[in-house]
Amino acid sequence: MAPALRNTQERPANTTNGGFMLLLSVAVAGLGAWALYELIITDEAVFAGALILLSLVLTAQAIGFYTLQPNEAAAITLFGNYKGTDRTPGLRWMLPWYTRKKISLRVRNVTGEKLKVNEKRGNPIEIAAVVVWRVTDTASALFDVDDYQEFVDIQIETAVREIASHFSYDNAEHDEPTLRGDAEEVSSLLRSKLQERVAVAGVIIDETKLSHLAY
């Protein structure tokens, strides 16, 4: 029996305000300039050692800087282990041996391709949908599926095909809802089915709507 998927849940990362570290970097650069001046004047080895040490510190500080825009996050990892997600916009800093992967939290709009499927009665139809979605759990999106954008696209197509088979195109028996006459109910069910499919990827579906429907 195959082991169950180990779900990864987002948690806050331990990062630092980049503004404070920038001031500290300026101070280190100033000390480095002073050490260089003293080395030129005195030619003493202690200042050479201090200059090398301060250069290494300044380099490490520079590597740790990164920026985040509004509705953008960075997943922090250490040697492949997830350490948390930073969602604070602006100039940020973390220890240089940590790695970060940025991910957009902005709303995305996908217009699906026209699919040729069979509706409930078996008649061939063309159908397409518009889906509005966004990432809510960065850890699940990055680490629980291979490519979350491709994953969502595939699930949209699968859900549209499934929904089409639940309804007749038109003129259903016993006052059943139809694809053509009950667009709001169809869209609501599509959103519900799609949300179930993409939950593993840390994605939320904000809106779904049929964009094309024809024989």
Side-chain angles (χ1 to χ4, degrees):
M1 182 177 179
L5 174 68
R6 182 180 179 182
N7 294 326
T8 309
Q9 293 185 337
E10 180 180 318
R11 59 181 181 269
N14 186 19
T15 59
T16 305
N17 187 305
F20 171 77
M21 291 305 300
L22 183 60
L23 292 176
L24 189 58
S25 297
V26 172
V28 172
L31 289 174
W34 171 79
L36 178 60
Y37 173 78
E38 292 294 335
L39 177 62
I40 294 174
I41 297 299
T42 64
D43 197 27
E44 293 184 8
V46 63
F47 293 110
L51 181 60
I52 293 173
L53 178 60
L54 290 169
S55 298
L56 291 175
V57 171
L58 188 60
T59 300
Q61 288 178 323
I63 294 174
F65 285 107
Y66 64 99
T67 59
L68 290 177
Q69 298 179 4
N71 291 313
E72 186 179 41
I76 311 301
T77 59
L78 177 64
F79 306 124
N81 293 319
Y82 172 64
K83 295 300 180 180
T85 296
D86 187 3
R87 287 174 172 253
T88 306
L91 181 63
R92 308 294 297 163
W93 188 87
M94 64 179 182
L95 293 171
W97 46 84
Y98 285 82
T99 59
R100 63 256 183 189
K101 186 172 184 180
K102 294 184 178 181
I103 179 172
S104 174
L105 306 176
R106 299 180 180 93
V107 174
R108 306 167 191 238
N109 188 78
V110 176
T111 302
E113 297 182 359
K114 296 178 183 179
L115 304 176
K116 294 183 178 180
V117 299
N118 293 330
E119 43 96 274
K120 184 176 180 180
R121 294 182 176 181
N123 299 315
I125 61 171
E126 288 186 352
I127 188 172
V130 174
V131 178
V132 179
W133 64 278
R134 55 193 165 89
V135 173
T136 56
D137 190 310
T138 59
S140 295
L142 292 174
F143 306 120
D144 287 350
V145 293
D146 189 41
D147 184 325
Y148 68 93
Q149 296 187 63
E150 181 180 359
F151 179 81
V152 171
D153 290 340
I154 292 174
Q155 296 307 318
I156 290 174
E157 179 178 335
T158 304
V160 170
R161 290 184 181 276
E162 180 182 357
I163 290 299
S165 67
H166 280 75
F167 299 91
S168 300
Y169 179 84
D170 204 354
N171 298 324
E173 299 177 352
H174 308 297
D175 296 324
E176 293 178 345
T178 64
L179 294 171
R180 184 178 180 183
D182 300 272
E184 185 173 341
E185 182 175 345
V186 172
S187 296
S188 178
L189 183 59
L190 174 60
R191 180 180 179 276
S192 177
K193 292 289 186 181
L194 186 54
Q195 184 61 68
E196 292 177 4
R197 291 178 173 273
V198 300
V200 67
V203 168
I204 187 170
I205 305 299
D206 289 321
E207 183 181 353
T208 57
K209 184 178 181 180
L210 295 183
S211 59
H212 176 77
L213 184 64
Y215 271 121

